[in-house]
């Protein structure tokens, strides 16, 4: 098993050892409300953990992707999350309470031209994606459709695989004209970009 160790950062006390995945855990993210932890793995599955009880809450109904899952990120409401994979897909999973127990179902997906290796989601729901090719784009979920808002010009992207993308913390809750993000790549670069929110307005008009 690939174990996760949960620590209390204030006292550096070990709280729990979480076991589910059969292969290396590639990414983990706490939900914005700190209630859940989602983990993804080389075993092509995701797992959602309940933080207060340190227990496994839900797992993929089957292999969530056909290839290794590289990244995950929560939406601002802490009820939906996204996963990205070497199978070139972005998938969004919505919480499903119809069965009387916590579970998540695939709500929508989009296939790209290359492996998706990194993901982050702003408080307003803008999905930032990094790719194996070094490219970066921004998409948005609209119901059961994922729409492309903007692809960064090639000269603003990396030359090798994007490992991590991150919106700047504390932004995206108001009506900023611009938002900033960072991306790290296998080419040893860290890219910092500012995106105009006009891209979203122009797309909607």
């Amino acid at each position: 098993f690939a174990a996760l160790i949960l620590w209390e950062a204030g006292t550096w006390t070990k709280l729990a050892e979480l076991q589910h995945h059969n292969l290396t855990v590639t990414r983990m993210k706490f939900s914005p409300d700190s209630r859940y932890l989602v983990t993804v793995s080389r075993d092509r599955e995701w797992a959602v953990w309940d933080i207060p009880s340190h227990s496994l809450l839900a797992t993929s109904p089957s292999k969530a992707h056909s290839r290794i899952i590289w990244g995950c990120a929560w939406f601002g409401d802490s009820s939906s999350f996204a996963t990205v994979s070497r199978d070139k897909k972005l998938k969004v999973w919505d919480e499903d309470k119809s069965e009387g127990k916590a579970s998540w179902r695939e709500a929508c997906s989009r296939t790209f031209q290359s492996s998706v290796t990194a993901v982050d989601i702003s408080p307003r729901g803008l999905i930032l994606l990094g790719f194996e090719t070094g490219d970066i784009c921004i998409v948005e979920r609209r119901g059961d459709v994922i729409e492309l808002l903007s692809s960064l010009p090639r000269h603003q992207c990396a030359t090798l695989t994007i490992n991590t993308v991150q919106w700047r913390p504390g932004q995206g809750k108001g009506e900023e004209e611009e938002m900033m993000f960072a991306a790290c790549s296998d080419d040893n670069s860290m890219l910092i970009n500012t995106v105009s929110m006009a891209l979203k307005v122009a797309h909607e008009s």
Side-chain angles (χ1 to χ4, degrees):
F1 284 93
L4 304 167
I5 299 177
L6 191 64
W7 297 84
E8 168 56 58
T11 60
W12 294 113
T13 302
K14 182 178 176 180
L15 299 178
E17 188 169 306
L18 312 177
Q19 293 188 0
H20 168 70
H21 294 288
N22 293 315
L23 297 173
T24 306
V25 173
T26 54
R27 191 73 63 184
M28 61 189 82
K29 285 287 182 72
F30 288 102
S31 61
D33 64 5
S34 299
R35 182 179 176 185
Y36 302 130
L37 172 70
V38 62
T39 58
V40 295
S41 167
R42 286 182 176 272
D43 62 14
R44 296 173 287 169
E45 295 187 0
W46 55 255
V48 176
W49 306 83
D50 181 72
I51 295 304
S53 65
H54 310 153
S55 62
L56 182 61
L57 195 61
T59 60
S60 312
S62 59
K63 297 296 184 184
H65 288 266
S66 61
R67 303 291 299 277
I68 178 175
I69 306 177
W70 285 123
C72 56
W74 288 94
F75 285 83
D77 60 4
S78 296
S79 65
S80 301
F81 62 87
T83 55
V84 296
S85 169
R86 183 177 283 168
D87 65 10
K88 306 179 182 180
K89 292 182 182 293
L90 159 69
K91 293 187 176 184
V92 174
W93 307 83
D94 285 348
E95 189 173 11
D96 184 2
K97 299 180 179 179
S98 62
E99 298 181 0
K101 63 179 181 178
S103 63
W104 278 260
R105 60 173 180 81
E106 182 180 335
C108 55
S109 67
R110 181 172 177 135
T111 303
F112 296 87
Q113 294 184 343
S114 60
S115 298
V116 195
T117 52
V119 59
D120 192 34
I121 304 174
S122 77
R124 280 194 277 175
L126 296 181
I127 305 171
L128 180 63
L129 299 174
F131 294 86
E132 187 176 46
T133 55
D135 292 303
I136 300 169
C137 78
I138 300 170
V139 300
E140 184 178 40
R141 176 190 180 178
R142 298 187 175 185
D144 59 358
V145 176
I146 297 172
E147 296 192 13
L148 177 66
L149 296 183
S150 177
S151 294
L152 269 67
R154 194 67 192 89
H155 71 274
Q156 292 184 16
C157 299
T159 58
L160 295 176
T161 301
I162 298 289
N163 294 315
T164 304
V165 291
Q166 180 74 56
W167 290 107
R168 183 178 181 179
Q171 65 177 6
K173 298 179 181 179
E175 297 298 326
E176 300 97 332
E177 294 183 359
E178 295 181 333
M179 288 180 63
M180 186 177 293
F181 70 84
C184 296
S185 167
D186 273 349
D187 64 12
N188 298 318
S189 68
M190 182 178 73
L191 309 173
I192 298 177
N193 281 275
T194 300
V195 177
S196 172
M197 289 298 94
L199 67 88
K200 187 176 180 182
V201 174
H203 183 80
E204 292 178 340
S205 61

